[in-house]
Amino acid sequence: MLPTYDDKGKIFTPVVTKKPVSVTLQTATHRIIGNIHVRHDHRLKDELDSAEAFIAVTNAKIYDANGSMILQSSFLAVQCQQIIWIIPNEEE
C-alpha cells in the first residue's frame, strides 16, 4: 500500500486516537482487570456495541473464581459475547 499525501506534502496515516479506560470485567469463569481503549468521541458501551467480535484489553490481570491472579499479559483479546458485566475503575 502506497502512502497518501495531503496538499502540503505531508504523509497521511489513518491513526485512530483512543484513551485508555481502566476496567474490571467478568466472564463466566474469570475476572479481568485492565485497560480498554476508547475513541475520544465514544463511550465504553459504544466500544462494546461495535461489530467487532473481540475487544482488546491491555495490561490485563486475569483472576480465577477464588480471586487468585492466574495470568498477567500486556495484551488480551476477549470475546465480547463472553462478557457478563463490565465496570470502569475509579480514577486514583
Side-chain angles (χ1 to χ4, degrees), residues 19-51:
K19 63 179 178 177
V21 176
S22 177
V23 298
T24 300
L25 64 89
Q26 181 72 45
T27 67
T29 57
H30 297 91
R31 183 164 294 175
I32 302 167
I33 298 174
N35 296 320
I36 293 178
H37 297 264
V38 179
R39 294 174 192 246
H40 285 286
D41 57 341
H42 285 168
R43 304 170 296 169
L44 179 59
K45 183 176 181 328
D46 297 330
E47 294 296 324
L48 293 171
D49 288 342
S50 73

Side-chain angles (χ1 to χ4, degrees), residues 1-76:
M1 180 177 195
L2 295 174
T4 56
Y5 299 90
D6 69 6
D7 57 340
K8 294 182 181 178
K10 295 182 181 177
I11 296 176
F12 173 77
T13 57
V15 176
V16 178
T17 305
K18 295 185 175 187
K19 63 179 178 177
V21 176
S22 177
V23 298
T24 300
L25 64 89
Q26 181 72 45
T27 67
T29 57
H30 297 91
R31 183 164 294 175
I32 302 167
I33 298 174
N35 296 320
I36 293 178
H37 297 264
V38 179
R39 294 174 192 246
H40 285 286
D41 57 341
H42 285 168
R43 304 170 296 169
L44 179 59
K45 183 176 181 328
D46 297 330
E47 294 296 324
L48 293 171
D49 288 342
S50 73
E52 300 292 327
F54 290 85
I55 191 160
V57 180
T58 59
N59 301 320
K61 294 179 182 174
I62 305 165
Y63 297 87
D64 64 13
N66 298 324
S68 300
M69 187 169 69
I70 58 172
L71 185 64
Q72 186 170 353
S73 177
S74 60
F75 174 82
L76 176 69

